[in-house]
Amino acid sequence: MINMKIDSTKKHNRNDIIFIVALLLIATFGALYLFVFRDGGNTVKVTVDGKTYGVYSLNENITEDIHTGNGNLNRLVIRDGKAYMETATCPDGICVSHKPIFRDGESIVCLPNKVVVTVTTTDTDSPDVVI
Amino acid sequence: MNKSKSVAFFGVCTALAMILAYVEVLLPPIFPAVPGIKMGLPNIIIVFLLYRRGPIPAIAVSLLRVALVSMLFSNAMALLYSLSGAILSLLVMIILRKLNFLSTVGVSVAGGVAHNVGQILMAMLLLETSELFYYLVVLTVTGTIAGILIGLCGSLIIKRIPERLLKF
């Protein structure tokens, strides 16, 4: 009934290595894209449960309390061009221990409170009127 | 097949998978910069069952384990994430096992990475954001490493538990 043949032939092991190397290569390209080819962003967008909560500049030092309903709170701090979560009422505290973010597209996610903090780039340098 | 013995056997398997999931929570974080990385120790049991008892027991024990652990130690949201990861992981492992071109290590690596992908897809769906690729990259690497270790452990257990102990 059960196939007892254990698959550990040379062919299987070779396929394993090809498979693992392929996975790691994909991850490497992903990491290169994320960490090397991206510049720092200049704004921080906060969404709660998929809806935009607020947009803040990365260049100002602020402390923002994000109220997520049911008395839950995430305190977002922007300091020295980096954003991080100082405190949160979520049980796991994953967002609080996340390292500060500043690159375009980086994000801190608080799954229990459904808060997503993302660094974006907006063109604030562009002139309002071109004469 | 003796019914009560198989009930006891799969009960023990489920308990083992639950204990391994609990032990995993007690371990210190491997890589504190990216929280949420886990070894996937319960997958040793799932891989073992998949190879020695076929896909149905593996599915049953895995889903039971996820449901019980989530109910005992966390909340309904965590159940959703774990469940989506477990289901995708099981699917990928069963298909790869059937295709028979990877060894236990390869199947376990695919299962580990699929577990992460499943959870992140669920998070993207629930949070309606696509900005979680950052996690995916890191979790692919850690999932691969964990999968190799789990696969090696699993293949040892698969080879060494004699079939007479599994005869009911």
Side-chain angles (χ1 to χ4, degrees):
Chain A
M1 180 186 81
I2 292 11
N3 177 17
M4 274 294 295
K5 196 175 91 262
I6 303 301
D7 327 311
S8 58
T9 59
K10 276 206 171 106
K11 199 188 101 220
H12 284 108
N13 291 335
R14 199 200 59 209
N15 287 342
D16 272 2
I17 293 167
I18 295 172
F19 176 64
I20 290 166
V21 168
L23 269 180
L24 291 178
L25 268 179
I26 293 170
T28 312
F29 282 121
L32 275 179
Y33 167 70
L34 285 178
F35 298 116
V36 181
F37 297 122
R38 277 206 308 197
D39 305 325
N42 55 17
T43 48
V44 175
K45 197 179 82 183
V46 178
T47 65
V48 177
D49 201 6
K51 289 182 267 300
T52 304
Y53 182 92
V55 179
Y56 311 97
S57 171
L58 257 184
N59 304 318
E60 292 165 43
N61 294 344
I62 59 155
T63 304
E64 178 71 24
D65 285 346
I66 303 159
H67 297 276
T68 56
N70 300 327
N72 284 318
L73 180 87
N74 289 50
R75 179 167 292 156
L76 175 75
V77 173
I78 301 175
R79 187 173 297 156
D80 304 329
K82 293 182 180 187
Y84 60 95
M85 207 72 92
E86 192 178 65
T87 54
T89 53
C90 54
D92 51 13
I94 282 176
C95 53
V96 177
S97 49
H98 198 291
K99 67 181 173 58
I101 54 172
F102 61 97
R103 290 188 193 89
D104 189 19
E106 272 189 314
S107 57
I108 297 177
V109 180
C110 177
L111 290 178
N113 292 354
K114 293 191 171 181
V115 176
V116 182
V117 179
T118 313
V119 179
T120 53
T121 306
T122 47
D123 298 323
T124 45
D125 298 332
S126 59
D128 294 325
V129 182
V130 179
I131 302 169
Chain B
M1 191 190 259
N2 185 324
K3 207 173 173 185
S4 49
K5 273 188 181 171
S6 64
V7 167
F9 173 73
F10 291 121
V12 167
C13 284
T14 312
L16 253 174
M18 284 173 68
I19 286 290
L20 288 173
Y22 183 62
V23 165
E24 204 168 56
V25 179
L26 299 178
L27 293 174
I30 306 160
F31 188 30
V34 184
I37 295 171
K38 283 189 197 162
M39 274 283 289
L41 291 176
N43 207 28
I44 296 175
I45 308 293
I46 308 307
V47 170
F48 170 76
L49 284 173
L50 179 60
Y51 273 79
R52 293 291 292 269
R53 281 287 159 275
I56 305 291
I59 293 171
V61 169
S62 176
L63 296 186
L64 262 177
R65 191 277 294 178
V66 167
L68 289 170
V69 167
S70 302
M71 279 183 221
L72 284 172
F73 305 121
S74 49
N75 50 34
M77 284 305 271
L79 175 69
L80 264 182
Y81 292 117
S82 306
L83 213 55
S84 52
I87 290 171
L88 192 63
S89 163
L90 277 168
L91 265 177
V92 167
M93 289 202 293
I94 290 167
I95 291 168
L96 286 178
R97 164 91 174 106
K98 275 266 187 295
L99 292 177
N100 193 29
F101 69 96
L102 293 173
S103 82
T104 328
V105 176
V107 170
S108 157
V109 167
V113 173
H115 200 283
N116 293 331
V117 171
Q119 284 189 320
I120 289 180
L121 285 181
M122 190 44 128
M124 284 179 174
L125 224 106
L126 287 178
L127 296 170
E128 295 168 38
T129 170
S130 57
E131 283 136 1
L132 293 168
F133 281 110
Y134 163 69
Y135 278 113
L136 203 54
V137 168
V138 184
L139 290 181
T140 303
V141 177
T142 58
T144 306
I145 297 165
I148 294 170
L149 297 175
I150 298 296
L152 290 173
C153 279
S155 70
L156 283 178
I157 295 171
I158 289 162
K159 274 177 208 148
R160 298 210 179 174
I161 303 258
E163 189 60 16
R164 68 183 158 79
L165 290 182
L166 304 177
K167 280 236 159 64
F168 307 128

